[in-house]
Amino acid sequence: MEIRIFDSQLQLDEYAANIFIQLLARKKDAVLGLATGSTPIGLYNNLVESYKEGKVSFKDAYTFNLDEYVGVTPDNEQSYSFFMHKHLFSHVDLQAEHIHLLDGMAPNAEEECASFERKLDEKPLDIQLLGLGHNGHIAFNEPDTSLSNKTHVVKLDDKTLQANARFFSSIDEVPKHAMTMGIGSIMKAKQILLIVRGADKAAIVKEALQGPITTQVPASLLQLHANVTVLLDREAGRMLV
Ligand code: F6R
């Protein structure tokens, strides 16, 4: 596991963007696993700027997003589909058919997850971008006594509902279920890029990266992956030894 700590957000975002830019320069049809949340916004901004400057093209690339709320339409501002179009997809030359997003309105969520997993099997991820939840979740794989391997439907835990409530007018409006790639879907990626910012995540960063490997801290399982890069700001990395 390679851990890098940055003094500035801009440097971190630029470093992260360069990982994607270099991958796409080597492999035009790379398969990119993407994340939503506040963490990757700076990275996506940087990629959009780099695209406009002609430094990168997504024309032949494929994308798979980690997760989506159940029961939220793609045109809802809180949907992860809306987020991805707003921050990245509508600004770059990705082909619409190459974008894979879980459909929160699918009539059968279980079947939607199974179909997504089949597509992932056909197009293995070259890189998976991850953020980290305060409870150690990655995607929506919440702490538990066991974890699901494949893309599946989850009930979101209270900490996650509270963290997400900032995007909704009240906590009651936060969707209670989501679809998410499983730990196995994530771990199959050839490379994993985990980005974490902020003092409020320092304790969970330490647990995830230097604590015991346990399903109670899903991100700790990343310690078992052979090619993980972790990018942290000073605050998020301050408890690491
Ligand atoms: C988002 C996702 C989540 C977030 C995590 C951190 O697609 O899967 O696991 O990465 O909750 O969220 P932020 O970046 O908002 O702190």
Side-chain angles (χ1 to χ4, degrees):
M1 186 176 278
E2 180 190 348
I3 302 177
R4 288 179 177 266
I5 300 183
F6 294 83
D7 285 322
S8 91
Q9 300 289 336
L10 283 178
Q11 283 171 347
L12 190 160
D13 291 333
E14 191 178 316
Y15 191 93
N18 273 328
I19 292 178
F20 281 87
I21 292 168
Q22 281 166 20
L23 169 61
L24 286 163
R26 282 201 303 279
K27 187 174 180 192
K28 285 194 303 189
D29 59 349
V31 185
L32 314 176
L34 301 176
T36 60
S38 43
T39 308
I41 293 176
L43 158 63
Y44 294 152
N45 289 343
N46 191 304
L47 286 174
V48 170
E49 283 313 308
S50 301
Y51 165 72
K52 287 184 184 155
E53 289 163 13
K55 293 184 191 155
V56 65
S57 167
F58 297 84
K59 196 166 71 63
D60 298 315
Y62 292 82
T63 69
F64 283 85
N65 259 83
L66 282 173
D67 41 18
E68 181 59 283
Y69 289 124
V70 170
V72 174
T73 55
D75 60 345
N76 182 316
E77 287 187 22
Q78 305 309 337
S79 80
Y80 288 177
S81 169
F82 188 95
F83 175 102
M84 287 311 302
H85 284 91
K86 175 175 170 191
H87 292 288
L88 184 67
F89 296 162
S90 53
H91 308 288
V92 298
D93 58 348
L94 257 175
Q95 299 185 49
E97 328 65 268
H98 288 191
I99 294 172
H100 298 89
L101 287 157
L102 284 153
D103 177 2
M105 296 306 288
N108 182 336
E110 308 288 347
E111 179 43 43
E112 173 67 7
C113 291
S115 147
F116 190 86
E117 190 71 31
R118 282 194 294 273
K119 288 177 197 150
L120 269 175
D121 282 340
E122 283 161 24
K123 290 240 161 277
L125 297 165
D126 288 296
I127 188 166
Q128 178 60 59
L129 173 66
L130 297 174
L132 179 65
H134 290 101
N135 60 3
H137 76 206
I138 44 175
F140 275 132
N141 294 284
E142 306 284 6
D144 209 336
T145 46
S146 69
L147 293 172
S148 300
N149 221 14
K150 298 190 170 174
T151 306
H152 60 288
V153 179
V154 277
K155 189 171 178 323
L156 302 182
D157 84 4
D158 287 344
K159 241 182 168 176
T160 302
L161 294 180
Q162 280 157 24
N164 291 352
R166 66 191 196 273
F167 302 115
F168 293 83
S169 45
S170 84
I171 192 159
D172 297 331
E173 283 179 29
V174 185
K176 309 282 181 293
H177 292 88
M179 289 180 263
T180 180
M181 279 191 207
I183 290 292
S185 338
I186 294 169
M187 294 290 275
K188 273 194 290 190
K190 291 182 195 127
Q191 181 180 7
I192 290 180
L193 178 61
L194 172 66
I195 303 183
V196 195
R197 305 172 198 277
D200 54 323
K201 300 230 177 118
I204 195 66
V205 163
K206 174 153 180 63
E207 269 191 76
L209 305 187
Q210 295 181 338
I213 296 170
T214 162
T215 57
Q216 297 297 345
V217 182
S220 67
L221 287 144
L222 298 175
Q223 294 178 41
L224 298 170
H225 193 282
N227 186 2
V228 180
T229 302
V230 185
L231 309 183
L232 306 170
D233 66 5
R234 271 280 151 231
E235 290 75 30
R238 71 176 184 194
M239 288 173 78
L240 294 179
V241 286

